[in-house]
Amino acid sequence: MFDIFGEMESAEELNKTAEGLKNEGDKKSLYKLADENGIDRAEADLYFEGMTDAFCDVASAAIGKIEVEAAQLKPVEIIADWTEYIKGSCLEDMQFAQAVRRKGKSLKECIGNILKWSFKVRYKVDKDIIRAAEIEKYVKSVEMGIPGMGRAKKLIRAYYLESEEGTR
């Protein structure tokens, strides 16, 4: 995923790397940096041509990281919703965006933490629901633990911001 330049800790680190590439006149490597970090090549062009002062900002660095991770993960349904929530939160909260960009934080691990929570709090589904789903001939009981969106938001924020809020 971060095979050429490595995982970068912050927008500042990305901007310093981009500045070095720009100063060397290495547009090809600047594109590689952009691709590896989910930064649009058009933005890289604007930066390279001196039309913008920075290669990326805090939000675009974080969202880019999530987009690169999501391209590998290929989230669907509720996991896609959680991924979109993370990206939206990066636009609204710069502290959260900085936390998302940190080395060692990943979308897969975040989703894994939600799954771990889900297994801890699972509950038996009512037999009438199992019957209504027409699966009683296949299973005797079903357990669920999928968090509501409010809980998922708390779990996501707790993971990236390294807090205990919402994890119980």
Side-chain angles (χ1 to χ4, degrees):
M1 187 168 9
F2 300 109
D3 299 331
I4 300 169
F5 294 94
E7 183 179 8
M8 298 206 184
E9 179 76 14
S10 64
E12 181 181 359
E13 190 175 350
L14 275 166
N15 283 323
K16 285 181 181 178
T17 303
E19 181 180 13
L21 296 171
K22 179 182 173 182
N23 290 342
E24 293 172 8
D26 191 350
K27 193 173 192 178
K28 184 178 175 183
S29 292
L30 188 67
Y31 280 158
K32 288 178 184 177
L33 179 67
D35 293 345
E36 188 170 271
N37 287 280
I39 306 297
D40 191 283
R41 280 189 174 196
E43 293 298 319
D45 278 331
L46 290 173
Y47 175 71
F48 192 81
E49 300 302 325
M51 305 293 279
T52 59
D53 293 333
F55 176 69
C56 65
D57 60 20
V58 173
S60 64
I63 291 168
K65 179 179 180 181
I66 294 299
E67 288 179 349
V68 167
E69 292 174 319
Q72 261 194 337
L73 183 61
K74 297 176 180 51
V76 296
E77 298 294 337
I78 193 68
I79 297 174
D81 291 347
W82 296 337
T83 301
E84 289 304 312
Y85 167 75
I86 294 168
K87 291 182 346 187
S89 294
C90 289
L91 290 171
E92 297 168 1
D93 181 346
M94 291 305 108
Q95 180 185 3
F96 182 77
Q98 289 170 334
V100 166
R101 186 68 227 194
R102 280 198 316 259
K103 284 183 184 177
K105 292 295 180 180
S106 72
L107 180 60
K108 285 181 181 181
E109 190 172 303
C110 180
I111 301 305
N113 279 349
I114 295 172
L115 183 60
K116 183 177 6 177
W117 179 91
S118 297
F119 272 89
K120 285 181 186 175
V121 301
R122 67 186 187 270
Y123 56 90
K124 287 197 182 286
V125 174
D126 184 274
K127 290 181 190 221
D128 290 336
I129 295 172
I130 295 170
R131 209 171 298 119
E134 299 177 358
I135 59 172
E136 73 275 6
K137 59 186 165 194
Y138 305 110
V139 295
K140 298 266 188 241
S141 69
V142 174
E143 292 183 343
M144 290 178 58
I146 302 166
M149 197 57 193
R151 173 68 68 184
K153 288 176 181 180
K154 288 178 181 177
L155 291 166
I156 289 166
R157 293 188 69 76
Y159 168 74
Y160 282 111
L161 296 171
E162 298 179 349
S163 73
E164 294 296 316
E165 182 185 335
T167 60
R168 293 179 190 88

